[in-house]
Amino acid sequence: MRIEGAIAAAVGGLDGLLVEGFTRRKAVDLAAAVAEHAGLLRSSREAYAGSLGASRVRELCVWSDQLVGYARLIDEEYFLLLLLTPDANLGKTRVVSSQAVEALKEVLG
């Protein structure tokens, strides 16, 4: 990982299943993190489409005191999840994840 403060990275399905992942902390349950973020992405997509007329949610970021969850859609089935420390650089996270998603589209396509 090339992002300071990155704790874990995963590819997950919007069905909530972990496809592949890597973590620097054994205490991080990537399968649970993917399942939770898949639910958040689905709910956000429905809410934005219904209330705001936005047809596609591409990114989702959730901050807590000890962890930031950043999810970026790869396609209609899969997403990239990065778990970060709260002081991680979100701008760099967005740039690096965009590049990673393009590479993942080739692999998953």
Side-chain angles (χ1 to χ4, degrees), residues 10-17 32-50 54-62 69-83 101:
V11 173
L14 285 172
D15 59 1
L17 297 177
V34 164
E36 293 297 336
H37 285 83
L40 290 169
L41 281 165
R42 287 190 312 268
S43 295
S44 297
R45 189 164 56 181
E46 291 170 17
Y48 269 65
S55 61
R56 187 163 187 245
V57 171
R58 296 182 321 192
E59 299 172 86
L60 177 73
C61 196
V62 180
Y70 174 80
R72 185 178 194 111
L73 284 178
I74 298 168
D75 58 23
E76 294 303 314
E77 291 183 60
Y78 300 102
F79 66 97
L80 173 65
L81 174 63
L82 300 173
L83 300 178
V101 161

Side-chain angles (χ1 to χ4, degrees), residues 7-37:
I7 297 168
V11 173
L14 285 172
D15 59 1
L17 297 177
L18 173 66
V19 175
E20 188 64 59
F22 168 82
T23 182
R24 291 183 172 167
R25 294 186 186 169
K26 290 184 181 190
V28 172
D29 183 349
L30 275 181
V34 164
E36 293 297 336
H37 285 83

Side-chain angles (χ1 to χ4, degrees), residues 7 37 61-69 83-87:
I7 297 168
H37 285 83
C61 196
V62 180
W63 273 267
S64 73
D65 291 339
Q66 294 130 350
L67 190 67
V68 174
L83 300 178
L84 313 153
T85 60
D87 61 342

